[in-house]
Amino acid sequence: MMIGKKIFQDKFRGAILGCFLGDAYGSSFEGMNPERIRFHMTDFSKKFRRRYTDDTDMTLAVAESIIQSGGVSPEDIAKQFSLHCDLTRGYGIGTIKAVLALRAGIKWDEVARIVFENGSFGNGAAMRVSPVGLFYHHDLGGLRRAAMEQANITHVHPLGQWGAVMQACSIGLAVSQNPNGVFKKEQMVADLKEILWGGPIEYMKALNKIEERVTQGKILRSQEVARSFGNGVEAHFSVPSACYIAITYSPDFCDAIRAAISLGGDTDTIAGMVGAIVGAHVGEKGLPIEWIEQLEDGSRGHSFARGLAGRLFETWWKIHGATCFTAMS
Ligand code: F2R
Ligand code: MG
Ligand code: MG
């Protein structure tokens, strides 16, 4: 029983620190031409920024809220965004305006259409969703609902909402995979197709492509991944790319991050999402300690993030742990 508990705790830390690492690392290459990125790939770890961006900033706020509320409460998450989001960390315009409106006292369910009338399909709701994927990994129906609810604060466009669902469920499914065994890629794609059934056609088409590549056992080169799935800030491009890379490269965390950054485009977010999924599979023990030690470590830095992941796990354990472990045994 204790061995099982430790594995899950390690996976929670792996996902949060994996997101942090991918984001900080990837932000050094954001918008850079893929040719130049490939040139910088040699001597990679010396060239990355220690500072994280909006992806990690919002992830920490979502984790804090789940710990305080014992689950996803959009009202409380919005309160944490209002308190903690540091808008100097490279935020998208739709999210900046939503956070400023929250700070001005506008209600949480009235801020999502300020910039985009039809809602945002940016990847902002997906990039911050890892704490939700971790906390509801034992209940995929509940996970889908919770991912959607947290998205609705800022991203009410179906493509933005379902991008968050796909990323959260990828993390939830990775938590349930044996960290020491073979990664069951086909099973993960089949489960994702079932969960996303009824969502926007863009995600089902992308999952069909991922399924085809995984079945063929062929690893696409970075240009082909970018061409097949996309590498922009739109959730329906970057989430499938991140999912394909995580499934293809896990359990090798470093290769997965390198592959994500090689796509170019929205490198911080794609690498952050890949880092969260692979981190949820391999746990903190599968992450490069020398990369983690280089990350920023101020009041909300990597030590804080690690502690928060531990508290998120303890909250999950208190509420769901005993039931889940009894059901499994
Ligand atoms: N914003 C960035 N990077 C820009 C450069 C940052 C620079 N390095 C710096 O330091 O300042 N990165 C972050 O933004 C992405 C997440 O964005 P989010 O939170 O979804 O914001 P937003 O504004 O809602 O959507 C992003 C863009 O998507 C397009 N878009 C979305 N919905 C749309 C709609 N309905 N119609 C038309 N366009 C829509 C817009 O271009 C939005 O600006 C992450 O990459 C994060 O790292
Ligand atoms: Mg960012
Ligand atoms: Mg980004």
Side-chain angles (χ1 to χ4, degrees):
M1 177 84 86
M2 277 313 287
I3 292 170
K5 184 177 175 185
K6 284 213 168 103
I7 287 177
F8 278 85
Q9 185 181 51
D10 195 53
K11 281 170 166 278
F12 274 54
R13 289 188 178 134
I16 300 294
L17 289 171
C19 165
F20 195 137
L21 255 176
D23 172 28
Y25 219 150
S27 73
S28 316
F29 302 92
E30 195 183 4
M32 201 185 272
N33 173 324
E35 288 292 313
R36 253 189 90 200
I37 295 179
R38 274 190 287 282
F39 172 76
H40 286 288
M41 278 292 167
T42 50
D43 211 9
F44 203 51
S45 61
K46 291 199 180 115
K47 288 184 175 146
F48 84 95
R49 253 183 233 151
R50 292 140 194 254
R51 192 166 192 263
Y52 61 82
T53 76
D54 56 339
D55 306 56
T56 305
D57 205 33
M58 295 196 104
T59 299
L60 298 179
V62 172
E64 281 173 299
S65 175
I66 295 177
I67 292 166
Q68 282 181 29
S69 309
V72 164
S73 150
E75 191 171 4
D76 189 74
I77 294 176
K79 191 171 136 202
Q80 300 304 320
F81 288 166
S82 174
L83 283 173
H84 296 296
C85 287
D86 171 358
L87 298 179
T88 68
R89 289 185 185 267
Y91 274 75
I93 188 65
T95 303
I96 291 179
K97 296 277 184 187
V99 172
L100 291 175
L102 290 171
R103 286 182 182 155
I106 315 267
K107 270 189 70 212
W108 72 269
D109 54 355
E110 291 172 6
V111 300
R113 295 181 198 270
I114 296 172
V115 174
F116 304 109
E117 215 181 310
N118 54 347
S120 171
F121 48 69
N123 49 20
M127 73 190 186
R128 66 184 187 223
V129 82
S130 46
V132 181
L134 293 169
F135 200 78
Y136 291 89
H137 72 269
H138 60 283
D139 165 17
L140 292 175
L143 173 47
R144 186 167 70 173
R145 263 192 312 279
M148 191 78 85
E149 279 173 7
Q150 73 78 33
N152 283 341
I153 305 164
T154 49
H155 290 69
V156 288
H157 192 290
L159 291 170
Q161 294 171 324
W162 285 84
V165 170
M166 183 163 168
Q167 172 65 9
C169 291
S170 302
I171 290 164
L173 292 165
V175 172
S176 308
Q177 296 243 2
N178 180 351
N180 304 314
V182 179
F183 190 69
K184 294 180 185 152
K185 301 170 197 279
E186 285 89 353
Q187 188 59 52
M188 179 145 165
V189 181
D191 289 344
L192 283 173
K193 282 180 75 172
E194 205 177 315
I195 295 161
L196 272 93
W197 185 251
I201 190 70
E202 286 81 349
Y203 290 105
M204 205 45 77
K205 280 186 179 166
L207 278 165
N208 284 337
K209 278 197 233 171
I210 296 176
E211 188 173 47
E212 207 180 304
R213 310 292 183 266
V214 166
T215 312
Q216 288 167 347
K218 188 179 150 210
I219 300 181
L220 296 182
R221 288 180 320 174
S222 52
Q223 299 102 306
E224 290 173 295
V225 179
R227 226 184 0 253
S228 281
F229 302 108
N231 62 1
V233 291
E234 298 85 354
H236 48 296
F237 297 143
S238 46
V239 175
S241 279
C243 185
Y244 170 77
I245 289 174
I247 288 176
T248 303
Y249 288 90
S250 199
D252 192 325
F253 183 87
C254 297
D255 273 1
I257 296 294
R258 286 191 189 97
I261 293 173
S262 302
L263 302 186
D266 195 0
T267 48
D268 62 328
T269 303
I270 299 175
M273 293 193 291
V274 166
I277 303 170
V278 180
H281 174 216
V282 300
E284 186 186 15
K285 67 172 170 27
L287 269 49
I289 181 78
E290 65 284 7
W291 286 13
I292 295 174
E293 282 168 352
Q294 291 182 59
L295 295 170
E296 78 171 90
D297 202 17
S299 64
R300 291 172 77 78
H302 73 80
S303 302
F304 173 79
R306 184 175 187 274
L308 198 64
R311 285 197 284 132
L312 184 66
F313 170 76
E314 288 303 335
T315 310
W316 176 81
W317 180 255
K318 250 188 236 151
I319 300 174
H320 303 292
T323 333
C324 291
F325 271 73
T326 312
M328 272 185 228
S329 53

